[in-house]
Amino acid sequence: LAAAAERSSRRRPRQEAGGEEGEATRPARPAAAMIEVVCNDRLGKKVRVKCNADDTVGDFKKLLAAQTGTKPEKLRLQKWHTVFKDHITLEDYEIHDGMNLELYYN
């Protein structure tokens, strides 16, 4: 039992030297990399959209709507049978640079 407690104490992260949490010395969050996603509607329109990996699908639809001239509410993005929801980020769906998505109109 003592050995298990000792092992679990080794796994705990150490406090960083330098003082209180929230200091200005540490960056709040690293900058997200720009990615380019290709959307194909299979009706002859293939659009390349540049965005950040931490953008939500709703933000991505707004960028896509600006390029296609279609309202973002009328767009549906999916990959195979997975329909992407607006409040989840592209990172969470593991959408990477150069990936192809299916574009449908509602």
Side-chain angles (χ1 to χ4, degrees):
L1 189 65
E6 185 180 332
R7 272 182 282 171
S8 67
S9 67
R10 278 189 244 150
R11 289 187 203 132
R12 290 188 192 127
R14 294 182 187 165
Q15 289 283 350
E16 287 190 20
E20 305 272 329
E21 270 192 47
E23 275 188 354
T25 57
R26 277 188 261 157
R29 197 165 145 186
M34 290 287 285
I35 60 172
E36 186 177 64
V37 181
V38 180
C39 295
N40 190 354
D41 69 353
R42 296 168 42 177
L43 297 171
K45 191 179 286 188
K46 197 172 194 179
V47 183
R48 293 172 177 255
V49 181
K50 287 193 181 258
C51 60
N52 289 324
D54 63 350
D55 285 346
T56 63
V57 174
D59 295 338
F60 181 77
K61 281 185 183 180
K62 289 175 188 172
L63 294 171
L64 184 60
Q67 289 191 13
T68 60
T70 309
K71 292 182 180 179
E73 307 87 45
K74 294 289 183 181
L75 299 175
R76 185 175 80 223
L77 293 169
Q78 65 184 62
K79 183 76 173 177
W80 286 83
H81 296 290
T82 304
V83 178
F84 298 133
K85 300 184 192 273
D86 287 349
H87 65 282
I88 299 176
T89 63
L90 300 175
E91 230 171 16
D92 292 338
Y93 279 121
E94 297 181 5
I95 296 173
H96 305 291
D97 188 31
M99 201 162 182
N100 293 305
L101 299 180
E102 300 163 11
L103 173 62
Y104 294 99
Y105 305 103
N106 290 336

